[in-house]
Amino acid sequence: MSTNETTPVYDVVGVGFGPANLALAIAIEEHNEQAAPGEELTAVFLEKQPAFGWHRGMLIPDATMQVSFLKDLATMRNPVSRFGFVPYLHDRGRLVDFINHKALFPTREEFHDYLQWAANGVDHMVRYGLEVTAIRPADRAGRGGPVVEVDVAALGGAGSGAEAEAVTYRARNLVIGTGLVPRLPEGVESSERLWHSSEFLHRLAALPSDAPRRFVVAGAGQSAAEIADHLHRTFEDAEVVAVHTRYGYSPADDSPYANRIFDPEAVDLYHGADPSVRRTLMDYHRNTNYGVVDMDLIEELYRRSYQEKVRGEQRLRILGVTRLTAVEEGPDGVRVEVRNLATDETETMTADAVVYATGYGEPDPTLLLGELDAACLRDEAGRLRVRRDYRVETAPEMGAGIYLMGGTEHSHGITANLLSMAAVRAGEICDSLAEHRRSDRRAPVAVTG
């Protein structure tokens, strides 16, 4: 859709509406409630899904969060925010029950309900069911400053915001928060019997086998362990084979000092450090988040496996130091070849489904930026240069701002893509947007003629 002088220009258009941009919407909402007249920020967020949803395919019953409930969408930024997890509990009538439960880590199911509750509080900023098709600089003639245009197309079956088939939004700033990208081994594509962990529950519900006999789960992280646990408990006649290159699951380092890597101050330290120091910090502390499992779940799986050995049966097989070397999908199952990395021996088996809990990759914002990509500056490794406030460094001619919600691990550290920093990160971006808006309003207008 073409634009004209009456087309509104938002202060920010957010692409994607997961927890990161939801936290930003909340920060903007609270900023506007306190702002002086004329200092408010206008914002709209564009989301492909027909309604809010976060990792629905992994809402396994009883699976818990790995971050404290206090690291919600707002509390770390504003402890008295009405969008915090405690106000949510009060609104739902469960505050006393939660306190009596003595839980620091709510279930994933409950936290998802909290996220939906929070999203409902800012739904006036969101347009669901819209897919971004192009981003480009606007024709600046008569536009009143640097502006970008975002083209979207409505997806079928969408809810609010999908009335028109094609719409163009205009903004002074972009915030890209499209989330992490599911990662599968090279040559593997998701299918009826080959699943990535992100789609686990959806695929499981549609499994063609009425009485599955065997599942293979590849991966050694929290998702892999939760999936193996769920399958073993749910299908009492099925064998669950966990395949990973380690001896077994490794525990997450959640000790108090190691957890300082998730402190807001750690982002300052990381961003200002030499690249070699950044690499060292990342290597030291990867086991706080990547490829690790809560100790309680490790011990439960080991206990269950041991009891099966006592009884002379083995439905839960943990194959350490092994790797899937061949997977061939057929009409009635999947032929799987597993190789022992130490002995080079192979084992062939047939499974009803193979689940790849192989993690996620960082989003590549350049896939969306289109013509704007050429104006973005890069470091010596070819990665986007990102300021401390998550704003991409750009060439002088690119006056509009581009902010990243994710894809900044190289510049901001291990918390760049994590929920634990969502509230603080959103506050920093909101402050940056507000400051740049004030600067734009103070800038003298050039007079020609």
Side-chain angles (χ1 to χ4, degrees):
M1 184 185 81
S2 61
T3 60
N4 54 51
E5 294 304 321
T6 64
T7 303
V9 177
Y10 291 92
D11 287 312
V12 58
V13 166
V15 181
F17 198 64
N21 267 347
L22 170 54
L24 177 59
I26 291 169
I28 291 173
E29 180 84 348
E30 294 185 341
H31 165 83
N32 289 345
E33 291 170 353
Q34 301 294 325
E39 297 292 327
E40 300 91 344
L41 293 171
T42 57
V44 63
F45 294 86
L46 311 174
E47 169 57 46
K48 282 199 305 184
Q49 297 185 100
F52 183 86
W54 177 67
H55 292 309
R56 290 181 180 272
M58 278 298 291
L59 295 181
I60 295 173
D62 299 326
T64 59
M65 299 292 294
Q66 278 74 58
V67 296
S68 164
F69 71 90
L70 292 172
K71 291 188 174 182
D72 55 34
L73 298 171
T75 298
M76 293 283 286
R77 172 184 56 81
N78 176 15
V80 296
S81 170
R82 72 179 189 278
F83 289 95
F85 190 78
V86 170
Y88 153 78
L89 290 172
H90 183 268
D91 185 65
R92 289 288 199 246
R94 296 198 307 270
L95 180 56
V96 172
D97 295 332
F98 187 86
I99 293 172
N100 291 339
H101 191 37
K102 298 180 181 179
L104 191 62
F105 306 102
T107 64
R108 204 171 293 156
E109 185 178 25
E110 182 176 31
F111 204 80
H112 187 273
D113 186 63
Y114 157 68
L115 295 175
Q116 287 183 304
W117 173 86
N120 290 340
V122 291
D123 60 355
H124 59 283
M125 293 190 198
V126 193
R127 307 294 182 266
Y128 290 106
L130 296 179
E131 182 173 24
V132 173
T133 57
I135 298 176
R136 62 181 176 275
D139 175 9
R140 296 181 188 174
R143 299 293 188 177
V147 172
V148 295
E149 294 183 343
V150 182
D151 294 340
V152 299
L155 301 176
S160 172
E163 302 85 1
E165 290 189 3
V167 179
T168 297
Y169 290 88
R170 298 172 59 223
R172 300 178 184 90
N173 299 278
L174 287 174
V175 179
I176 298 178
T178 52
L180 295 170
V181 181
R183 183 170 53 214
L184 287 167
E186 186 176 355
V188 175
E189 294 185 3
S190 176
S191 66
E192 189 176 55
R193 296 182 183 273
L194 303 178
W195 315 335
H196 186 268
S197 57
S198 61
E199 55 187 355
F200 170 62
L201 291 179
H202 307 314
R203 291 289 191 181
L204 184 62
L207 183 68
S209 307
D210 294 331
R213 305 299 301 172
R214 178 182 289 121
F215 294 95
V216 174
V217 183
Q222 182 72 23
S223 294
E226 288 176 351
I227 288 169
D229 171 65
H230 180 72
L231 291 172
H232 186 260
R233 287 187 289 107
T234 304
F235 299 95
E236 296 182 355
D237 295 325
E239 181 181 83
V240 178
V241 182
V243 178
H244 38 73
T245 56
R246 305 177 185 179
Y247 273 106
Y249 300 109
S250 299
D253 184 356
D254 61 352
S255 57
Y257 289 112
N259 275 343
R260 283 182 170 176
I261 196 71
F262 302 113
D263 291 352
E265 293 80 6
V267 180
D268 293 328
L269 179 69
Y270 192 93
H271 189 270
D274 182 83
S276 63
V277 176
R278 293 180 183 178
R279 287 192 294 271
T280 299
L281 289 172
M282 187 64 70
D283 290 342
Y284 279 158
H285 296 288
R286 291 189 70 83
N287 64 342
T288 58
N289 183 66
Y290 294 113
V292 289
V293 183
D294 288 346
M295 193 63 193
D296 289 347
L297 181 53
I298 293 176
E299 292 177 342
E300 169 59 22
L301 290 172
Y302 190 90
R303 183 199 64 78
R304 220 178 293 169
S305 178
Y306 181 79
Q307 286 302 114
E308 289 184 348
K309 290 181 179 180
V310 171
R311 293 193 296 264
E313 61 182 49
Q314 196 170 9
R315 279 200 311 114
L316 179 60
R317 298 179 61 199
I318 310 296
L319 302 185
V321 202
T322 58
R323 175 175 288 141
L324 294 182
T325 52
V327 176
E328 183 179 348
E329 186 175 8
D332 300 319
V334 184
R335 181 182 176 276
V336 179
E337 183 180 274
V338 180
R339 181 169 66 90
N340 186 296
L341 301 178
T343 66
D344 212 32
E345 295 177 347
T346 61
E347 179 182 355
T348 302
M349 62 187 75
T350 301
D352 293 274
V354 177
V355 188
Y356 289 93
T358 44
Y360 298 80
E362 283 199 296
D364 182 0
T366 62
L367 298 177
L368 276 176
L369 290 177
E371 297 176 46
L372 304 185
D373 181 41
C376 297
L377 304 183
R378 285 170 165 74
D379 62 17
E380 63 281 357
R383 301 166 302 197
L384 292 177
R385 285 167 50 181
V386 188
R387 298 174 186 170
R388 177 60 185 82
D389 61 359
Y390 300 92
R391 184 178 172 120
V392 176
E393 294 189 31
T394 56
E397 64 270 16
M398 179 62 194
I402 301 171
Y403 292 82
L404 300 183
M405 286 286 198
T408 60
E409 195 172 86
H410 65 285
S411 57
H412 288 70
I414 202 168
T415 61
N417 304 300
L418 300 183
L419 184 63
S420 61
M421 270 291 290
V424 175
R425 181 172 55 238
E428 291 171 348
I429 292 177
C430 181
D431 289 345
S432 178
L433 290 167
E435 177 56 35
H436 280 281
R437 189 72 182 112
R438 286 191 291 268
S439 298
D440 291 343
R441 287 169 177 154
R442 290 194 299 262
V445 177
V447 178
T448 59

